[in-house]
């Protein structure tokens, strides 16, 4: 990690941690935001993230194919919108189901890291830049960050949800 990337991630994590502590993202709060929390809904939320990483039709594999073809235009367009489709729609939903404070902070860090990974790939795919090594580096980080996020599922304390 370069000093700039470390600073960006640290600053972002600090900002989002502060926002989360004021935002009331407790499991009880998650319950009040729509569908009831069940073991099945928790498993489904994490499976949606897992599918993006592991499924042949998942976004990560689609991105891998673009990288293999060195299709910079497609990589740039895809990464521009994938943060909304993947991180905000799937990772954040699963992250809100985490139960311990420390694990929630780790989940937030990994979620924010996914954003930085996508930004890094996008920068490497911009006209005039076209740096496939940079794109590959951030793609590998994306895979690692998502895989590490999925490990957090095993830390969920189901008793918090009165299941």
């Amino acid at each position: 990690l370069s000093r700039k990337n470390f600073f960006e991630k640290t600053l972002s994590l600090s900002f989002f941690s502060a926002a989360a502590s004021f935002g009331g993202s407790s499991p009880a709060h998650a319950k009040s935001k729509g569908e009831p929390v069940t073991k099945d809904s928790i498993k489904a939320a994490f499976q949606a993230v897992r599918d993006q990483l592991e499924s042949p039709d998942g976004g990560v594999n689609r991105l891998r194919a673009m990288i293999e073809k060195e299709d910079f235009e497609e990589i740039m367009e895809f990464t521009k919108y994938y943060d909304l489709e993947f991180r905000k729609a799937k990772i954040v939903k699963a992250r809100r189901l985490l139960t311990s404070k420390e694990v929630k902070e780790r989940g937030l860090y990994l979620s924010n890291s996914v954003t930085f990974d996508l930004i890094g790939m996008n920068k490497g795919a911009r006209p005039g830049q076209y740096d496939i090594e940079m794109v590959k580096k951030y793609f590998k980080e994306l895979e690692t960050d998502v895989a590490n996020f999925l490990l957090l599922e095993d830390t969920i304390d189901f008793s918090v949800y009165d299941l």
Side-chain angles (χ1 to χ4, degrees):
L1 269 181
S2 71
R3 214 179 306 173
K4 179 182 176 196
N5 287 343
F6 175 77
F7 178 74
E8 288 175 346
K9 284 189 178 188
T10 304
L11 181 61
S12 176
L13 179 60
S14 298
F15 173 78
F16 286 113
S17 292
S21 65
F22 291 107
S25 61
S26 70
H29 186 62
K31 281 190 209 178
S32 69
K33 282 191 163 187
E35 68 184 60
V37 176
T38 65
K39 285 185 180 183
D40 287 341
S41 67
I42 292 169
K43 288 186 186 303
F46 279 88
Q47 187 61 45
V49 175
R50 189 171 288 104
D51 288 346
Q52 288 296 307
L53 179 64
E54 298 173 357
S55 169
D57 297 327
V60 175
N61 280 318
R62 291 191 330 233
L63 191 52
R64 177 181 286 111
M66 292 173 210
I67 293 168
E68 288 170 0
K69 290 188 269 181
E70 296 189 20
D71 189 341
F72 293 108
E73 188 175 314
E74 283 297 314
I75 294 166
M76 194 174 73
E77 282 304 306
F78 187 83
T79 56
K80 197 183 308 182
Y81 299 105
Y82 196 50
D83 185 63
L84 179 63
E85 175 187 334
F86 179 43
R87 188 189 64 89
K88 289 183 182 176
K90 294 180 175 43
I91 292 178
V92 170
K93 182 177 182 180
R95 191 189 81 218
R96 287 185 176 143
L97 299 168
L98 298 171
T99 51
S100 83
K101 181 180 180 187
E102 295 80 22
V103 174
K104 283 182 183 185
E105 288 174 3
R106 178 75 178 148
L108 180 63
Y109 172 78
L110 291 168
S111 175
N112 290 340
S113 294
V114 166
T115 298
F116 287 111
D117 301 337
L118 294 168
I119 290 169
M121 283 185 275
N122 185 281
K123 284 183 180 179
R126 291 180 185 164
Q129 181 83 8
Y130 292 156
D131 184 346
I132 196 64
E133 293 308 313
M134 179 182 198
V135 172
K136 287 179 179 178
K137 172 188 171 226
Y138 283 105
F139 178 77
K140 187 71 178 156
E141 288 183 24
L142 173 72
E143 289 180 308
T144 300
D145 291 336
V146 174
N148 286 334
F149 178 83
L150 289 168
L151 295 174
L152 302 179
E153 180 181 11
D154 293 336
T155 69
I156 293 175
D157 177 3
F158 291 104
S159 68
V160 170
Y161 290 109
D162 301 322
L163 301 177

